[in-house]
Amino acid sequence: MNLVGLLAFAVAGALKGADAGLDPFGVATLGVLTALGGGITRDVLVGRVPAALRSTGDVAVVLVGVVVGLVVATLLAGSAGRVRDHPAFLVADAVGLAAFAASGAAVGLDAGLSAFGVVVTATLTGVGGGSLSDLLLTRTPAVLREDFYATPALLGGVAYVGAGAVGVVGAPATLGVAVGVFLLRVLAVRGEWELPTLS
Amino acid sequence: MNLVGLLAFAVAGALKGADAGLDPFGVATLGVLTALGGGITRDVLVGRVPAALRSTGDVAVVLVGVVVGLVVATLLAGSAGRVRDHPAFLVADAVGLAAFAASGAAVGLDAGLSAFGVVVTATLTGVGGGSLSDLLLTRTPAVLREDFYATPALLGGVAYVGAGAVGVVGAPATLGVAVGVFLLRVLAVRGEWELPTLS
Amino acid sequence: MNLVGLLAFAVAGALKGADAGLDPFGVATLGVLTALGGGITRDVLVGRVPAALRSTGDVAVVLVGVVVGLVVATLLAGSAGRVRDHPAFLVADAVGLAAFAASGAAVGLDAGLSAFGVVVTATLTGVGGGSLSDLLLTRTPAVLREDFYATPALLGGVAYVGAGAVGVVGAPATLGVAVGVFLLRVLAVRGEWELPTLS
């Protein structure tokens, strides 16, 4: 699941960069940051040297995603946005959100964070990369404005804490949370859910 | 003082998010980040896992502030900005700035930073949260443009270093700096102080 | 080389802040962040308390650069941008880029990062400070859009990893990479190199 997510996030980030008119270095940076930025931020918060800068397997998948994004952007020139709205892509993206949120919750709990801290690391691992790439394009992160995207990750973090409180920990908890986040996100896409507006 | 500041900053951040048209997740994120973002950034810089992600007392106060902000924003719909200009609110905000700058200076000195480092942690703890929330709204942090807001925090850091050099350390130094920053900020609000413009 | 770079970056950042209409605190912040932001981010990523917050020599040079920038901005009022395009300035800036990229690569390798991690720390140390100051001004970092500026730093990181693989390490590797990055950047300025556009 994690590798599917890394690939989907890298392609999405690269296409977003290409749509915004970045040069190839910028497109590659957006792809890498979208895929790895959430996990890197989480690792820094819990005092670890980011796994993404130490290992190589994950990075290879991300670089493949960046190359795919560069090729697609060059071929589709300007209409690359449609790729990101394709149902297959949205499912792959939901897989990534679910895998990242679950792993973020697990890392937060392992690091001895409070319940609040675990919810933060779950959410941040899921949506941090996309939000950082939004910021590089000087856009308010989309997850703060609309859609039902950060909420499944946040609820995944809450569920992980709750599972731990009743003795469900480790792989069963991580897998359960990942499946729950994935289903919630897919339902949200199908139903075009939005959080209620204020006022 | 610290709790007053957390509450004021959380309410201010939530109202700022609501005014900018964020959804409830975005409003809550702005509130949390405004209150905790400065301290989290400081803790990361000095190599500590952020206290805000480990403890629970502070977070509870912040979440109360977020809920207050959400309720006020819903009731006042669009004119929430006036709350932030209310004298009572400005005093609470000055309390927060003072408490955060003083605690930031203390953390920096404890971590063995240079005088420059202590001034950075004092200033950053005071204005970092608000600046990060400005960035999420794609605004240049207000403290870089106008007002006399970061300067009291910076001078508080300088004063803390100076106090340490003449043997005044610990609680007396922290309290003295906090009172000084508070008075300076209140005078600045009353006198509508600005830094001189360049050119 | 490092001190030349710190001075050039601090002046460049301060002038950029002045051109954007910041107040003196903002101008100083931009200067400090442009000079020290890349190295601070790199140090945080590899789990070190940033050297810039512990030592004092580098900071003194940066503060001199900030004062120079403030004076130049006050005297030239509005046309300070021309200073940044002056050939002498571009050479000093290239020296900084080269020194920062080489030291970033060395720090990354010392910290046990992967080849990818070393390339990231080399590039980030070179272009991170300028990019962070762009973000504070709500601009997409220039290096993501145009010019041939981040690419020499990135290639410097690749060369450092390659040199290590064939047994060239330590000072010779750092010096060789710095010279290579400098020459590449100067050639890029003279030839007005750009990365190819997508599509």
Side-chain angles (χ1 to χ4, degrees):
Chain A
M1 280 185 73
N2 206 44
L3 296 183
V4 172
L6 288 169
L7 193 63
F9 278 35
V11 173
L15 293 179
K16 191 160 69 172
D19 279 354
L22 301 187
D23 72 10
F25 173 76
V27 169
T29 301
L30 266 272
V32 168
L33 192 66
T34 303
L36 301 177
I40 287 175
T41 308
R42 172 207 64 209
D43 284 346
V44 166
L45 284 177
V46 302
R48 304 200 316 192
V49 176
L53 302 181
R54 285 182 289 120
S55 62
T56 51
D58 285 6
V59 169
V61 173
V62 170
L63 294 182
V64 167
V66 166
V67 171
V68 169
L70 280 166
V71 170
V72 169
T74 306
L75 295 178
L76 297 189
S79 58
R82 284 181 309 178
V83 173
R84 284 188 283 151
D85 294 331
H86 192 281
F89 194 86
L90 289 169
V91 169
D93 186 83
V95 168
L97 179 69
F100 286 17
S103 75
V107 168
L109 200 73
D110 282 353
L113 301 188
S114 65
F116 172 77
V118 171
V119 171
V120 167
T121 53
T123 310
L124 195 57
T125 308
V127 309
S131 297
L132 286 172
S133 67
D134 282 340
L135 288 178
L136 285 184
L137 299 176
T138 64
R139 299 173 187 166
T140 294
V143 294
L144 300 180
R145 282 199 180 284
E146 60 195 3
D147 210 346
F148 195 83
Y149 191 94
T151 308
L154 186 155
L155 293 177
V158 172
Y160 196 87
V161 171
V166 298
V168 180
V169 294
T174 309
L175 189 63
V177 163
V179 169
V181 172
F182 173 74
L183 292 176
L184 205 50
R185 174 60 190 155
V186 168
L187 285 173
V189 170
R190 285 182 63 102
E192 301 187 356
W193 294 359
E194 296 275 347
L195 288 179
T197 55
L198 294 171
S199 80
Chain B
M1 280 184 74
N2 206 45
L3 296 182
V4 172
L6 288 169
L7 193 63
F9 278 35
V11 172
L15 292 179
K16 191 159 69 172
D19 280 352
L22 301 187
D23 72 11
F25 173 76
V27 169
T29 300
L30 266 273
V32 168
L33 192 66
T34 303
L36 301 177
I40 288 175
T41 308
R42 173 206 63 208
D43 284 346
V44 166
L45 284 178
V46 301
R48 305 199 317 192
V49 176
L53 301 181
R54 285 182 288 120
S55 63
T56 51
D58 285 6
V59 168
V61 173
V62 170
L63 295 182
V64 168
V66 166
V67 170
V68 169
L70 280 166
V71 169
V72 170
T74 306
L75 294 179
L76 297 190
S79 57
R82 285 181 308 177
V83 174
R84 284 189 282 153
D85 294 329
H86 192 280
F89 194 86
L90 290 169
V91 168
D93 186 83
V95 169
L97 180 69
F100 287 16
S103 75
V107 169
L109 200 73
D110 283 352
L113 301 188
S114 65
F116 172 76
V118 172
V119 172
V120 167
T121 52
T123 310
L124 195 57
T125 309
V127 309
S131 298
L132 286 172
S133 69
D134 281 340
L135 287 178
L136 286 183
L137 299 176
T138 65
R139 299 174 188 165
T140 293
V143 294
L144 300 180
R145 282 200 183 283
E146 60 193 4
D147 211 345
F148 195 82
Y149 191 93
T151 308
L154 186 155
L155 293 176
V158 172
Y160 196 87
V161 171
V166 298
V168 180
V169 294
T174 310
L175 189 62
V177 163
V179 170
V181 172
F182 174 75
L183 292 176
L184 205 51
R185 174 59 190 155
V186 169
L187 285 173
V189 170
R190 285 182 63 102
E192 301 186 357
W193 295 358
E194 297 275 347
L195 289 178
T197 55
L198 294 170
S199 79
Chain C
M1 279 185 74
N2 206 44
L3 296 182
V4 172
L6 288 169
L7 193 63
F9 278 35
V11 173
L15 293 179
K16 191 160 71 172
D19 279 353
L22 300 187
D23 72 11
F25 173 76
V27 169
T29 301
L30 266 272
V32 168
L33 192 67
T34 303
L36 301 177
I40 288 175
T41 308
R42 172 206 65 208
D43 284 346
V44 166
L45 284 177
V46 301
R48 304 200 316 192
V49 176
L53 302 180
R54 284 182 288 120
S55 62
T56 50
D58 285 7
V59 168
V61 173
V62 170
L63 295 182
V64 168
V66 166
V67 170
V68 169
L70 280 166
V71 170
V72 169
T74 305
L75 295 178
L76 296 189
S79 58
R82 285 182 307 177
V83 174
R84 284 189 282 152
D85 294 330
H86 192 280
F89 194 85
L90 289 169
V91 168
D93 187 83
V95 169
L97 180 68
F100 287 16
S103 75
V107 169
L109 200 73
D110 282 352
L113 301 188
S114 65
F116 173 76
V118 172
V119 172
V120 168
T121 53
T123 310
L124 196 58
T125 308
V127 310
S131 297
L132 286 171
S133 69
D134 281 340
L135 288 178
L136 286 184
L137 299 177
T138 65
R139 300 173 187 166
T140 294
V143 294
L144 300 180
R145 282 197 183 284
E146 60 194 4
D147 210 345
F148 194 83
Y149 191 93
T151 308
L154 187 155
L155 293 176
V158 172
Y160 197 87
V161 171
V166 298
V168 180
V169 294
T174 310
L175 189 63
V177 163
V179 170
V181 171
F182 174 74
L183 292 176
L184 205 51
R185 174 59 191 155
V186 169
L187 285 173
V189 169
R190 285 182 63 102
E192 300 187 358
W193 295 358
E194 297 275 347
L195 288 178
T197 55
L198 294 170
S199 79

